Amino acid sequence: MDARDEFLELVRQAKEHLRYYQELGVTALGDTERLAAVAAIAKTALPAPVELKTPAPQAELTVPTSPVPTLPTLPALPTLMAMPEPPLLTLPLTTLEAMPKSEDAPLLFGELEPAPQAAAAAAAPVNETLEDIRREMGDCQRCKLWSTRTNLVFGEGSPTAQLMFVGEGPGADEDASGRPFVGRAGQLLTKMIEAIDLKREQVYIANVVKSRPPGNRTPEADEVKACKPFLLRQIACIKPKLIVTLGNPATQSLLETKVGITRLRGEVQTYPHLPGVKVIPTFHPAYLLRSPDKKREAWDDLKKVRAFLRGELEG
């Protein structure tokens, strides 16, 4: 081996020793205490340096088979659990008293929006009248139905009625007149009211939406969302003892359920927005005109309505 190869080999060995010292934690050559410790470990742990000799011509190169000695296990570092706990942070009493109470502190994710019905109830003025609500609606353009309607159909009847009927929306006759339930379905509803010993003037009649959906289609979700708060305020103003919902859309909207009218009809339900008010769902008069065989079931529902108003049926 020539001088150049010997020099390169010495450099390689020096690098290996530096890496070894670094793994043992030596970061500065001036650290004499740690160097001494390392030297003591190296004396017992490192193999003796191999003397490099140029092999004789035609001599066979042999590899030593002796096992490589292992380094002794270093003392384990202290664990985090053994470290002393930091002192508790204490605040003066005056500082604690100055901190905001939980109800004054901002919510983590901002203020939560109340449910639309709760927001509508909160926005309703105390002791407002039906005239106040109608005046606030004005020429309502809160949903797209305003562009195809002729008249807004607010509702009519006694402002102190014990019984209220709620349908889904105005039809063609109602849109033309501005009054609820005045067409063929309205005439049948009048007969249903009279069948339980009441007059139309003694009850209150309204719809979930106040403008006619084109083609008498079912009101869409955004239309109901825009108009329903006014219906809830009408109910809060009248405070009826019982609401009869007519048909599936009105029943599901007021009771906030996905259960169909077939399962709910004739059963006393709890109105979720005003304590003490009950709901009895039944078929819509327009449906009864198309399916006269269902009139017997509707009559059974109406008899329960009459019994409830007389105090003969508990909710």
Side-chain angles (χ1 to χ4, degrees):
M1 179 180 295
D2 57 17
R4 181 176 180 278
D5 292 336
E6 288 182 359
F7 176 76
L8 293 176
E9 180 63 21
L10 290 173
V11 172
R12 184 189 64 78
Q13 291 185 15
K15 287 183 177 180
E16 288 294 320
H17 279 78
L18 289 174
R19 182 183 62 80
Y20 176 72
Y21 291 149
Q22 186 178 17
E23 290 178 351
L24 292 177
V26 177
T27 59
L29 294 178
D31 192 348
T32 56
E33 293 182 0
R34 183 162 296 192
L35 282 172
V38 171
I41 296 173
K43 183 179 293 185
T44 59
L46 290 178
V50 178
E51 182 179 0
L52 298 175
K53 295 181 180 180
T54 304
Q58 298 181 353
E60 183 178 357
L61 179 65
T62 59
V63 179
T65 58
S66 58
V68 179
T70 58
L71 295 176
T73 304
L74 294 177
L77 294 175
T79 62
L80 292 177
M81 296 299 294
M83 296 177 67
E85 295 183 2
L88 294 176
L89 177 63
T90 58
L91 295 175
L93 182 59
T94 55
T95 304
L96 294 175
E97 291 176 348
M99 295 177 66
K101 297 181 180 179
S102 58
E103 60 265 25
D104 300 327
L107 295 177
L108 181 60
F109 298 106
E111 293 295 334
L112 300 178
E113 294 185 1
Q117 290 77 17
V126 179
N127 298 325
E128 71 176 351
T129 65
L130 293 172
E131 289 76 15
D132 295 331
I133 302 172
R134 178 64 185 90
R135 185 164 46 251
E136 182 178 333
M137 290 193 71
D139 185 25
C140 185
Q141 299 182 10
R142 294 172 176 82
C143 76
K144 57 184 175 293
L145 293 180
W146 75 271
S147 62
T148 56
R149 73 164 183 247
T150 302
N151 287 296
L152 186 145
V153 183
F154 180 72
E156 68 177 21
S158 170
T160 59
Q162 284 193 313
L163 177 62
M164 185 172 179
F165 289 88
V166 175
E168 90 182 63
D173 294 313
E174 290 76 18
D175 180 59
S177 65
R179 297 179 56 209
F181 284 90
V182 293
R184 292 184 62 228
Q187 295 171 17
L188 179 56
L189 178 60
T190 300
K191 293 180 179 179
M192 293 166 66
I193 295 170
E194 293 173 347
I196 55 175
D197 304 323
L198 291 172
K199 296 181 179 179
R200 186 179 171 111
E201 294 77 18
Q202 294 176 285
V203 304
Y204 195 90
I205 305 172
N207 287 295
V208 175
V209 296
K210 312 301 185 186
S211 300
R212 181 197 180 195
N216 291 347
R217 62 165 171 76
T218 301
E220 297 176 354
D222 61 318
E223 298 162 356
V224 172
K225 183 178 179 180
C227 210
K228 183 178 175 180
F230 291 103
L231 172 63
L232 300 185
R233 289 168 62 182
Q234 285 176 292
I235 296 172
C237 182
I238 297 168
K239 297 180 178 63
K241 183 177 181 180
L242 178 66
I243 302 172
V244 174
T245 52
L246 302 170
N248 215 40
T251 300
Q252 292 181 334
S253 178
L254 272 193
L255 294 181
E256 298 179 352
T257 180
K258 294 183 179 179
V259 181
I261 185 67
T262 303
R263 289 178 55 188
L264 292 176
R265 53 153 289 271
E267 299 297 327
V268 180
Q269 309 288 332
T270 298
Y271 176 64
H273 307 296
L274 193 65
V277 179
K278 300 298 181 179
V279 178
I280 295 182
T282 192
F283 296 121
H284 195 284
Y287 173 75
L288 296 177
L289 291 175
R290 299 191 304 269
S291 305
D293 58 306
K294 296 294 183 180
K295 289 184 178 181
R296 173 60 60 182
E297 295 177 44
W299 172 236
D300 291 338
D301 299 341
L302 289 174
K303 287 189 290 186
K304 291 183 179 180
V305 170
R306 181 173 58 188
F308 183 89
L309 293 175
R310 292 177 176 177
E312 301 169 356
L313 177 66
E314 295 184 359

